[in-house]
Amino acid sequence: MSSDAGDDDDVVHDFRPLIVVYKSGRLERPLATPPVPPGTDAATGVASRDVRLSAASFVRLYLPPPCAAVAGGERLPVVVYFHGGGFVIGSAASPAYHRCLNDLAAACPAVAVSVDYRLAPEHPLPAAYEDSAAALAWVLSAADPWLAVHGDLSRVFLAGDSAGGNICHHLAMRHGLTSQHPPHRLKGIVLIHPWFWGKEPIGGEAAAGDQKGLWEFVCPDAADGADDPRMNPTAAGAPGLENLACEKVMVCVAEGDTLRWRGRAYAEAVVRARGGEAAAVELLESEGVGHVFYLFEPGHEKADELLRRIAAFISAK
């Protein structure tokens, strides 16, 4: 083997377990799992199907069984979910997210829409934001019969974990800043272990390290590194959180997650931006568990509690 061929196996970027990039351009995604098809979930009775929105993105819709609907044929809230994975891994068709959305749609009950978006490095940011915004616009148009017949577009929630929580914030800000009178004000957002960071450590954070490196890898045009407002919504010069176009906010953090201090800081900043209206922000901390634990341990008692609390937040009027 020539030395040049050996060099091709040199690692250029190592963000294990999410992604490894080699000099040759080869990519490894150690956590990637084969997709699972939509259908009717045996455990919950929730039906699902895919709708392609473009050549590069699709959504998976979830509809709870008729017996889960509220009495009188009242329409159901709509939950638009964005998966995590550092913007480099994940899919609406992955087994963990498919199970999670079945459970969430049944627990609320709600019409759920899981968004599949383009990933970096093949498609650096803002590709994921653009695909997510297009999916939200599609949901709000009620172009699909499940949404048109069963969904209540006055009760649209955005939810997502890790990078998906970051997307929720970005869309809620964009929704508020791009229109004087949004035709559909979002009912709420649910940020689960959101991926926020910054140049200066807060709380018990370690030095930025891989968080900063991964962010700059997926977003090469970051305006100020980890203090880009898309990564650090509380940075100096970031748009004010009073521009969040939603009635209420839920932030979920985990005791064993490095990101928990950012999640808490975000919740506190939203309260301040809303004039100290603490009731508009719900903070849930799961003790003794780590980042997105509920995806890997769905039977954990803390996963059950997380699901119940999110379902209660969405179903409350």
Side-chain angles (χ1 to χ4, degrees), residues 7-10 12 20-28 121-122:
D7 289 345
D8 284 347
D9 286 331
D10 289 347
V12 179
V20 182
V21 183
Y22 293 88
K23 185 177 180 180
S24 64
R26 178 167 61 92
L27 304 175
E28 287 183 359
E122 298 92 333

Side-chain angles (χ1 to χ4, degrees), residues 133-178:
L136 175 57
W138 178 83
V139 168
L140 296 176
S141 74
D144 187 88
W146 282 8
L147 292 166
V149 175
H150 303 287
D152 181 354
L153 293 183
S154 70
R155 291 190 291 157
V156 174
F157 291 81
L158 307 184
D161 64 280
S162 198
N166 179 296
I167 291 174
C168 290
H169 162 76
H170 178 78
L171 292 186
M173 291 293 291
R174 178 171 175 170
H175 199 60
L177 291 171
T178 56

